[in-house]
């Protein structure tokens, strides 16, 4: 990765295979573009919410992966190894998935249900973890590393600590559970950088 690329934001798109109850494909993959096709009726292609009458809409990304892309190709394609390498060099790095329900975010990030035992279906988290520890093993013996892990979920603008046995969202009636970490907030510190105050590590 060239110095000018460091710190830049990249956007990738992954198109998942059709589900069993889906018959009409409304998008086509062409190199680094997604082509939205309106030639089908709105009933057949309900994803049209852009409010336009154009027959085709083109959306460009840094890269686009079709439904045949493997988990390994996704990780390499989004420069996962480079991000991990930069983290080991002292830079912040972020990889996250964004999309509507059933878009394939969990599969991309976590992998399949047996991804721990199935390297082929391992997601970005597992592959990044392996690359991280491989980078530590390959580093000079004079370098010491301290690795800490937190797992959080941001839902409806509220932060949930996934390593805390209590739900950070509270109970269904809105009451907080006893012993729960409440009101987790994102903070920034000169020494620590960006962090979530009170989050389990």
């Amino acid at each position: 990765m060239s110095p000018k690329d460091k710190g830049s934001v990249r956007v990738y798109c992954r198109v998942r295979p059709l589900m069993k109850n889906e018959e009409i494909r409304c998008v086509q993959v062409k190199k680094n573009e997604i082509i939205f096709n309106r030639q089908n009726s709105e009933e057949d292609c309900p994803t049209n919410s852009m409010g336009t009458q154009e027959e085709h809409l083109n959306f460009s990304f840094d890269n686009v992966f079709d439904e045949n892309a493997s988990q390994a190709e996704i990780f390499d394609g989004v420069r996962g190894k480079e991000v991990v390498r930069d983290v080991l060099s002292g830079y912040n790095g972020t990889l996250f998935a964004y999309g509507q329900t059933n878009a394939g975010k969990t599969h991309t990030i976590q992998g399949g249900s047996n991804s721990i035992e199935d390297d082929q279906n391992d997601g970005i988290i597992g592959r990044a973890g392996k690359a991280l520890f491989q980078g530590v093993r390959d580093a000079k013996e004079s370098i010491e590393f301290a690795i800490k892990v937190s797992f959080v979920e941001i839902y409806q603008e509220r932060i949930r600590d996934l390593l805390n046995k209590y739900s950070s969202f509270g109970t269904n009636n809105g009451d907080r559970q006893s012993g729960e970490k409440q009101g987790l907030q994102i903070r920034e510190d000169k020494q620590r950088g960006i962090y979530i105050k009170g989050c389990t590590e």
Side-chain angles (χ1 to χ4, degrees):
M1 188 183 302
S2 64
K4 69 177 181 179
D5 289 333
K6 290 184 180 296
S8 61
V9 176
R10 298 178 185 82
V11 181
Y12 304 92
C13 180
R14 184 180 193 180
V15 178
R16 64 161 173 77
L18 292 177
M19 295 183 178
K20 294 181 179 180
N21 61 338
E22 297 173 331
E23 298 179 356
I24 303 297
R25 178 169 295 286
C26 302
V27 297
Q28 294 177 323
V29 177
K30 184 179 180 181
K31 293 184 179 180
N32 64 333
E33 289 187 337
I34 288 289
I35 301 175
F36 178 80
N37 192 344
R38 289 194 67 248
Q39 66 182 0
N40 301 307
S41 66
E42 292 189 1
E43 289 78 13
D44 292 333
C45 196
T47 55
N48 175 34
S49 58
M50 273 74 76
T52 177
Q53 298 301 316
E54 296 181 20
E55 287 296 323
H56 295 85
L57 296 170
N58 290 34
F59 301 91
S60 297
F61 301 88
D62 290 286
N63 201 354
V64 177
F65 307 94
D66 63 20
E67 60 267 30
N68 297 315
S70 66
Q71 295 284 71
E73 290 172 337
I74 296 296
F75 185 68
D76 292 339
V78 301
R79 300 186 179 183
K81 292 180 180 179
E82 286 88 344
V83 171
V84 171
R85 183 189 62 198
D86 290 344
V87 167
L88 292 173
S89 298
Y91 298 93
N92 289 328
T94 302
L95 292 169
F96 72 93
Y98 179 85
Q100 66 188 62
T101 301
N102 291 328
K105 301 183 297 296
T106 300
H107 178 72
T108 298
I109 293 295
Q110 295 182 198
S113 57
N114 297 319
S115 60
I116 295 179
E117 301 176 357
D118 184 2
D119 291 339
Q120 184 176 354
N121 287 317
D122 204 1
I124 287 178
I125 291 177
R127 294 177 187 275
K130 293 174 183 176
L132 178 65
F133 284 101
Q134 185 61 52
V136 170
R137 286 192 292 267
D138 295 340
K140 297 179 180 179
E141 295 184 0
S142 59
I143 301 177
E144 294 185 1
F145 294 90
I147 298 176
K148 297 180 180 180
V149 175
S150 295
F151 283 91
V152 299
E153 177 185 55
I154 301 177
Y155 180 69
Q156 293 184 346
E157 299 184 5
R158 287 184 285 181
I159 301 174
R160 181 182 181 186
D161 184 351
L162 298 180
L163 294 182
N164 183 20
K165 64 179 180 179
Y166 299 104
S167 168
S168 298
F169 293 160
T171 57
N172 292 333
N173 61 9
D175 295 332
R176 296 286 182 175
Q177 297 184 23
S178 176
E180 175 193 340
K181 294 183 177 179
Q182 302 182 28
L184 295 177
Q185 299 291 325
I186 298 176
R187 295 282 186 256
E188 186 172 5
D189 181 81
K190 291 182 179 179
Q191 299 296 327
R192 299 183 59 182
I194 298 175
Y195 70 99
I196 299 175
K197 185 178 181 180
C199 185
T200 303
E201 290 185 341

